[in-house]
Amino acid sequence: MDLKDKLISSFMAFENNVDVEHPVHDVRMEAIKNFEKKGFPTKKEEAWKYTSLNGLQKIDFSIFPKEENALEYKDVKKYFLHEIDTYKIVFIDGIYSSYLSETTHDGVDICLMSAALTKPMYQPVIDVYFNKVASKDESLTTLNTAFSREGAYIYIPKNKMPRKPIEILHFATGNEASLMLQPRNLVIVEENAEVQIIERHQSLTSNEVLTNSVTEIFAAKNAIVDYYKIQNDAPTASLIDNTYIDQKDKSVVRVHTFSFGGKLTRNNLNFYQNGEHIDSTMKGVTILGDKQHVDHHTLVHHIEPNCESHQDYKGIYGDSSTGVFNGKIIVDKIAQKTNAFQQNNNILVSDKATINTKPQLEIFADDVKCSHGCTIGQLDEDALFYLQTRGIPQKEARALLMYAFANNVLATVRIPELKTRINKLIANKLGVNLGFDL
């Protein structure tokens, strides 16, 4: 039985553990029909031209964990942003861990999708927001929708801001020989509200893990959302991350994606600007080695006038790694005075490394400022020689140049302790001591 057939047959078992009378289950039923019709995407599709899921489909993944597993905080402390106090929503093999979590209902809701999808008090919000911006057509998103039950539920009411950042952590223990996880997150930030969120997926063993994640983010008028994705997983972990963002007037949403680890990572990041004077920012740093594969697909749809979007992705590729960047900007006819910037710069530090990059503009308005571009190259030999003449060994000189290349992306990280943590991850990934206090 291949993975598609296993998932479809497992849906009946899934139904035994959810309320099939709940309105959300109608959404699930429609979604599983869509996935059954479409199946997994293939390289014949333009959007998946450079990324194959064939190898993953041959693995006999467990769809549900056989038992609930526990972890001690001391064993996973390094994966938390423990330098500061945070709210924490933690899942172990897809199951909520109350022991490792710190949630709240004190003026804001930082809790679980399983509660939001079952308790009547959340029903009015679920009716308005659940599955409203996520694609009804993209097959892996509909697969997640079909199995949606658990994940993070974050609701920030009007004029509120949580007193500390929120961490969403997904741990895979390896107690299953191979495990598939499908977390579903819903983030709602009402008018004049603000939130900072850090998300991480972490496998703790060498067993295969496939995560198919969907996050919906709604930013109301004047809302501010900072979302940080830390992707530094084990070499046997694969992640398909689908994020959909709906913005209203004068809202600001910034998403930073740091891709350093994992076997195969696909990031689908989609912004929809449903208002004026909106600011959307997407920044990313990718540093790969071995046979790692990371594919960034971004979309910004400018629907109304007087809005801005900024995309800046940097990639450093070594060994036999592969990178993909496909960024699309759509400017509707009425979206005049749009200012859209997109840039993708890459360094290949190995003759066997590969990068496929395709920035796209679809502009139907005539009074706009739109630019896009990409570069692919190697380290500047003159700069490398200069550093060596100043007594810096070649390996450290190369690392300093690569660090400088990626550093401007870090400048917009608004949590200082997180910026320090990312600096350390970059240094570790480059394999050298950069020679200054991190």
Side-chain angles (χ1 to χ4, degrees), residues 129-134 184-187 215-218 244:
Y129 293 106
F130 178 76
N131 207 48
K132 294 302 188 291
V133 67
R184 181 68 171 238
N185 303 318
L186 179 59
V187 179
T215 299
E216 293 183 283
I217 300 173
F218 295 87
Y244 300 90

Side-chain angles (χ1 to χ4, degrees), residues 348-360:
L348 300 179
V349 294
S350 166
D351 293 338
K352 296 180 179 179
T354 304
I355 174 68
N356 300 285
T357 180
K358 184 181 179 182
Q360 296 175 268

Side-chain angles (χ1 to χ4, degrees), residues 289-317:
D290 299 323
K291 295 182 179 180
Q292 291 178 289
H293 181 109
V294 170
D295 183 344
H296 295 288
H297 262 64
T298 66
L299 167 67
V300 184
H301 193 168
H302 291 268
I303 301 169
E304 301 287 343
N306 303 304
C307 294
E308 297 188 7
S309 66
H310 307 271
Q311 299 184 57
D312 189 6
Y313 281 76
K314 301 290 184 71
I316 300 172
Y317 303 94

Side-chain angles (χ1 to χ4, degrees), residues 189 193-195 219-226 245 247-255 271 277-281 414:
V189 187
E194 185 173 350
V195 70
K221 183 178 180 180
N222 290 315
I224 300 175
V225 179
D226 282 289
I245 300 166
Q247 290 186 250
K248 296 298 191 287
D249 292 331
K250 299 181 182 179
S251 62
V252 177
V253 177
R254 295 177 284 252
V255 177
F271 279 75
H277 305 288
I278 289 170
D279 192 342
S280 305
T281 297
R414 300 176 70 216

